[in-house]
Amino acid sequence: MSDLHAAATDNPMIDDRIRGFPPGHAPLALNAIGRQGWKPFDGNMALPLISLDRQAFAANVDLMMAYVKGQGVEIAPHAKTPMSTAISGALLAAGAWGTTVADIRQAAVLLKAGQRRLLLANEIGGLAAARRLAALLAGYPTAEVHIFVDSLPLAEALRTAWQERSDLPPLGLLVEFGAGRAGARSAEAAGAILDAILAAETPNFRLTGIAAYEGAAATADADETLSRIDGLMRLTADFLPKVRARIGSERPLLVTAGGSVFFDRVIAGLSAAVRADPDCLMVLRCGAIFFHDHGIYERGLAGLDARGGFRIGGEAASASEGFRPALRVWAEVLSRPEPGLAICGMGLRDVAIDQGLPRPLALYRNGARLGDFTGAEVLRLNDQHAFVALPGAGDVAVGDVVEFGISHPCTCLDRHAILYGLDPDHTVTVAYLTSFG
């Protein structure tokens, strides 16, 4: 994949108000951080911090791009996971069709970075929100934006906002089907939305396809989850020829889904309908998979393998073995108040817990790796503290540094302004600015 260094455009000055930056160090431009030779466990960097294994990330990108190419589909990775224009730019350079965003502010971040093809994979609200989107896009006449629509009020709000101004780029509307979150629940509901959009079409306000999000259909029961997702895909696929019959054969259409680890079910459910259409493109929206993790994605890829859903070049492959967790959070041991317990300086403000607690991976002392942190377990988190149960007597000392794996990249990265990119020897070689607002 392309070098992430080349994708960075912002170069602000960074100082010790930011996690990881050594206290008392003179401010540095963002692109100078990777030339300092810092390591998360060397005693200089302020902990806790979050890091990206650049080698693992690059391998994940190559693997996922090979997968989508082999399936004959495109991908617009969801930018909400890292909210880093450098990383989304690198994914575009690696072959992504476009970028997905979740709201108007995220769209502004990507547009200001020069990225012009966006899927706004969410409903945005009513007329006030539609006018805010119009105000943003008025500044980007070459933007190609496609937005989810699941209601008549939103279709009408967007129509009104686009009729009020003459300085807007074309807006593509995607009728959204859903299960468990937003989206039309029936072909009849979607048909009413389609009617409203087609009745209001102008050259810069047009239907451009249909959309769905399958991840919200997941339940605690694996069989029920697949049944619900397959049902959603059938609903979506069955609607495509109805759309084509209404608009004729000349207009390109998008069908987009696949914003989760169930992208294999998306492809299986939609491929026949897309292939049968004369001018239709399927676009996945997976984003967190490029980062992988030691929790929800680890479990999700095990499920993907169990159902034989990952194939490269027509051959079954192991997603669990192919993708590698790329994110780590690093924290110091602050206290050993009881036998078998260590208190680390990492808490709810630093790491995700919505899909599982962080996992201790390795222990470092005096700038050197002692070994794997086998058997240690995070019991709970406070705002600033992690309670780590130690195996046996536990050779863990105050001041040691613990490397943690995380679960759920999307709700971990958003706590951090800087993501530190590490080379294989764990030296910081680049810093990525995030834009979570």
Side-chain angles (χ1 to χ4, degrees):
M1 62 169 287
S2 64
D3 190 340
L4 288 178
H5 290 281
T9 55
D10 292 334
N11 192 33
M13 297 300 292
I14 306 298
D15 61 27
D16 50 14
R17 291 173 293 181
I18 300 298
R19 286 184 181 94
F21 198 93
H25 196 290
L28 291 171
L30 181 73
N31 66 10
I33 289 175
R35 299 195 293 268
Q36 307 307 307
W38 299 338
K39 298 177 186 289
F41 52 87
D42 67 2
N44 293 310
M45 300 189 77
L47 303 182
L49 63 82
I50 192 167
S51 69
L52 177 75
D53 180 332
R54 296 180 62 222
Q55 188 177 62
F57 181 79
N60 293 345
V61 172
D62 289 345
L63 184 59
M64 192 62 187
M65 294 304 181
Y67 173 81
V68 297
K69 181 179 180 180
Q71 297 293 328
V73 303
E74 299 286 352
I75 189 167
H78 211 313
K80 71 179 175 63
T81 300
M83 278 311 297
S84 164
T85 58
I87 290 176
S88 60
L91 292 170
L92 289 170
W97 174 86
T99 306
T100 298
V101 295
D103 57 33
I104 297 170
R105 189 200 67 83
Q106 290 180 11
V109 171
L110 274 294
L111 289 167
K112 290 180 186 300
Q115 298 173 33
R116 293 293 181 264
R117 179 183 278 166
L118 304 179
L119 296 178
L120 207 170
N122 203 355
E123 282 68 30
I124 58 169
L127 181 56
R131 285 171 172 158
R132 293 196 299 271
L133 178 62
L136 170 65
L137 294 184
Y140 300 96
T142 61
E144 177 186 341
V145 177
H146 307 267
I147 184 172
F148 284 19
V149 180
D150 78 340
S151 70
L152 296 177
L154 177 55
E156 174 61 20
L158 291 167
R159 181 195 67 79
T160 299
W162 255 251
Q163 284 185 340
E164 290 174 343
R165 308 182 62 139
S166 60
D167 57 346
L168 300 178
L171 182 67
L173 292 94
L174 304 170
V175 177
E176 184 194 5
F177 287 94
R181 200 171 72 181
R185 298 299 201 259
S186 68
E188 292 73 23
I193 299 165
L194 175 64
D195 290 343
I197 292 172
L198 294 180
E201 280 195 331
T202 67
N204 73 335
F205 186 84
R206 306 185 77 199
L207 177 88
T208 51
I210 55 181
Y213 173 57
E214 73 290 344
T219 71
D221 183 279
D223 291 337
E224 175 66 15
T225 292
L226 295 184
S227 176
R228 286 164 57 88
I229 291 172
D230 290 347
L232 177 60
M233 293 305 105
R234 283 194 298 273
L235 187 63
T236 306
D238 290 347
F239 197 67
L240 180 57
K242 298 176 183 178
V243 172
R244 180 57 75 189
R246 294 286 303 278
I247 66 173
S249 60
E250 299 302 316
R251 185 185 308 185
L253 286 175
L254 301 176
V255 176
T256 177
S260 71
V261 292
F262 300 102
F263 50 81
D264 61 316
R265 308 305 296 183
V266 167
I267 291 173
L270 298 179
S271 288
V274 170
R275 285 195 301 266
D277 190 278
D279 193 4
C280 186
L281 182 68
M282 189 192 311
V283 182
L284 304 182
R285 302 192 307 275
C286 313
I289 194 167
F290 295 103
F291 300 89
H292 194 18
D293 68 12
H294 289 89
I296 182 173
Y297 271 82
E298 182 179 72
R299 298 188 294 272
L301 294 188
L304 177 61
D305 286 345
R307 59 182 183 265
F310 194 66
R311 306 183 72 86
I312 299 291
E315 300 293 330
S318 172
S320 296
E321 294 178 3
F323 289 97
R324 296 159 50 192
L327 297 173
R328 305 288 191 275
V329 171
W330 304 75
E332 287 165 300
V333 176
L334 306 183
S335 176
R336 287 294 319 273
E338 303 168 11
L341 179 67
I343 309 296
C344 292
M346 172 192 72
L348 296 169
R349 299 177 184 272
D350 310 301
V351 70
I353 64 164
D354 60 310
Q355 299 292 344
L357 291 164
R359 183 184 303 171
L361 299 176
L363 188 68
Y364 297 78
R365 182 176 297 164
N366 298 325
R369 190 179 191 275
L370 291 184
D372 294 342
F373 210 1
T374 305
E377 179 186 6
V378 175
L379 302 174
R380 67 183 188 278
L381 301 177
N382 290 160
D383 280 2
Q384 311 287 164
H385 300 93
F387 295 74
V388 181
L390 305 176
D395 179 21
V396 177
V398 170
D400 287 350
V401 173
V402 181
E403 176 187 359
F404 292 90
I406 65 100
S407 180
H408 201 190
C410 298
T411 55
C412 187
L413 283 161
D414 65 356
R415 290 159 166 78
H416 299 268
I418 297 289
L419 172 62
Y420 295 92
L422 307 184
D423 272 4
D425 69 349
H426 292 150
T427 299
V428 174
T429 53
V430 65
Y432 308 113
L433 186 70
T434 66
S435 298
F436 288 102

